[in-house]
Amino acid sequence: MNDNLDADRATFVTHLECSLTGEHYEADRLHNLSRAGRPLLVRYDLAAVAAALPRDTLERRATDLWRWRELLPVRRTEDVVSLGEIETPLVPVRASGGAHVLVKDEGRLPTGSFKARGLVMAVAMAKELGVTRIAMPTNGNAGAALAAYAARCGIETIVFCPEDTPEVNVREIAMQGARVWRVNGLIDDCGAIVGKGAAEGRWFDFSTLKEPYRIEGKKTMGLELVAQLGWRVPDAIFYPTGGGTGLIGMWKAFDELERMGWIGAKRPRMYAVQAAGCAPIVRAFEAGEEHAERWEDAHTVAAGIRVPRAVGDFLILRAVRESGGKALAVGDPAILAAVDECARRDGLLLCPEGGATLAAYRQALRSGEVDEEEQVVLFNCATGLKYPMPPADRTLDRHGDIDFDAL
Amino acid sequence: MNDNLDADRATFVTHLECSLTGEHYEADRLHNLSRAGRPLLVRYDLAAVAAALPRDTLERRATDLWRWRELLPVRRTEDVVSLGEIETPLVPVRASGGAHVLVKDEGRLPTGSFKARGLVMAVAMAKELGVTRIAMPTNGNAGAALAAYAARCGIETIVFCPEDTPEVNVREIAMQGARVWRVNGLIDDCGAIVGKGAAEGRWFDFSTLKEPYRIEGKKTMGLELVAQLGWRVPDAIFYPTGGGTGLIGMWKAFDELERMGWIGAKRPRMYAVQAAGCAPIVRAFEAGEEHAERWEDAHTVAAGIRVPRAVGDFLILRAVRESGGKALAVGDPAILAAVDECARRDGLLLCPEGGATLAAYRQALRSGEVDEEEQVVLFNCATGLKYPMPPADRTLDRHGDIDFDAL
């Protein structure tokens, strides 16, 4: 029996702090960016968490996201919202060419993407803090996750997406009760509209990292992965990087687990994977910059990582560098080839962004950046079913003579 | 750490038997239907299973499908195939009108549907028994699951589907390396082609219930559900019924669990849900028949239950009657309204077949067939993302004046 959703559990948030200046902000309050215009990070009394939560207590719980309640910001059990945030499986893939390459299949989460992790937490906190109207820019999957959880809580939602957002995402968002607008621009253009409305007091701004709790949900990718691997980190992680919340979140998770004494000092090399047609983090990484300039004329088949400017750029670059990893760009043909080969050989249909991590891994394997014996985790951030697939038109007339040799 | 996939575990199959005559068939052999033309059921030494597998041993294992290995037919650990068959979550739905209605969200399984349960088992057995070429008729999701698992094992696959099978299913099957043919007919017309080829020795026939191991995979729905509910059965189960493998499988699971002493004699009332445009089981149920005649001119938006004739008809009818349940038909408008309302109110996007169970539940609630305080489980057999959704066309010009009041 899973009591993660209804058992009261102790919580340990002490405060939030600016990721740039370290300035403190009060817990249990609505926040967007810090006064310095940077993301806020939630801080916990980790010694108290470690004392209150023996590892074997955690191990006896059901494995879903709410298992980690003591390391999450929601205070009241009645504010927990859920559509079944299961622990996502690790699936070995031979198409990688590596001997120990696992795809963490985040497409199994509610609404079919890892966005559910961030949004379930942000919506639960919005509920706890009395928000009644939310707006968000999205390339598709985040909007779907927001719409689903907000629908469950009765929170009104307005979503803005680039005009070429896949039809399935737009329809899914609308089905789940949100109002969704296509905007003739990119995600940061949508973000500007959301920001303007928020400044006028029309809604609460849920943009990536402009709201401090999505990152707490995303960090469960790191917590969960370490638990799945028997309290060890893998040698390397390849992560499709748009806004980078998940990469920043995992890096925070590893730090918290070490402070609790549950893992040691070893970290996976973090590879931030971008598309060649939109690679601001890669450009900044290679130039040795701390911040990334906006990428002009962004285009890629992997719409989820078509993010020209990331407000958490310096956090992504810092984690990648501290980890000994890299920021890597892959072209659309390599992305599509990786998706195709993984489906045909491994029976696993990746999303384009997941395909990008596989393509980047293969590139890194060829260049010697990773060794084929290393344990590597690739993040497939959404179900491949949401994305266009090539037509397959073989037809057969059941009334005619069937040539079985030709089937 | 999950060792369900690589730990050797004892297995307990004794034989197979004809579901109609009880005639015995040898274990660990390729089989299709019995000599009486009926499905074969796998039998186990359940006393030995109970002795070998204390319930607390099972409870300590990871919760995926392979947790149940002692109650499954695969003998050799190296024949276990997997894409991450997680335990699917139970999600409460308010749109039901009932106080304790849970949707078992099978769309979280590999390839996005409950077909993965049956096909992972059938493909593992095909691998164990040396099959190299498989053919199957499908309304879509079963073909996708077969293609994925067969790709992983290097087994050649040919799939036949009705011409109006949703495009996403056809493309998904092809992406995963199978050859897929659209046939100008219904699923049983496709089945006739598969049967003809099998008779000629061109492939092994994987049709629903014509192969004995899919039902063993599907029975894990029953095993899992009972474990999730704390070794209790719910008051009622609403199951979308085409071929009925899952309903038959769950009924078998409850029987096996009782023989092992893990549950008592109580059974859920089983409601076999069909679409009004294709309801052969409902017609037979109401007429008191033991078998169901073919339904002519079948049509419904819920393609997965558009099965005019089920080879396991008598097993479905028997389980429904023994359980004190019923066979219920719902119209397409009620199905679509249920899908819509569940998405808007509960943030859960059902497939049409899942919508049918919700519509049938609401109908049963109105008629007094179920009480609103009863614990009821509805099976959502696939992710709603695979199905057409209505368009949502609001566009906004970011260069124009934005009327925030109108958003």
Side-chain angles (χ1 to χ4, degrees), chain A residues 195-207:
Chain A
K196 188 152 184 286
E200 292 183 12
R202 291 175 179 277
W203 49 56
F204 188 69
D205 185 344
F206 248 47
S207 301

Side-chain angles (χ1 to χ4, degrees), chain A residues 1 83-84 92 108 152 171 179 182 184 189 202 229-230 346 389 394 396-398 404-405 407, chain B residues 1 83-84 92 108 152 171 179 182 184 189 202 229-230 346 389 394 396-398 404-405 407:
Chain A
M1 295 278 279
L83 284 160
R108 308 301 192 78
R152 237 173 141 74
R171 294 184 182 200
R179 296 199 295 285
R182 285 184 191 269
N184 52 345
D189 300 310
R202 291 175 179 277
L229 297 178
D346 293 288
M389 290 180 267
R394 297 167 192 257
L396 193 65
D397 178 8
R398 72 187 172 97
F404 280 91
D405 288 324
L407 295 179
Chain B
M1 296 278 278
L83 283 160
R108 310 299 192 79
R152 237 173 139 75
R171 294 185 182 199
R179 295 199 295 285
R182 284 184 191 268
N184 51 346
D189 299 309
R202 292 176 179 276
L229 297 178
D346 292 288
M389 290 179 267
R394 299 167 192 256
L396 192 66
D397 178 8
R398 72 186 170 99
F404 280 92
D405 288 324
L407 295 180

Side-chain angles (χ1 to χ4, degrees), chain B residues 71-95:
Chain B
L71 285 167
L72 297 174
V74 180
R75 301 279 192 191
R76 295 183 312 199
T77 303
E78 66 260 37
D79 292 321
V80 167
V81 54
S82 175
L83 283 160
E85 297 70 30
I86 56 126
E87 182 180 87
T88 58
L90 293 168
V91 182
V93 287
R94 293 174 303 171

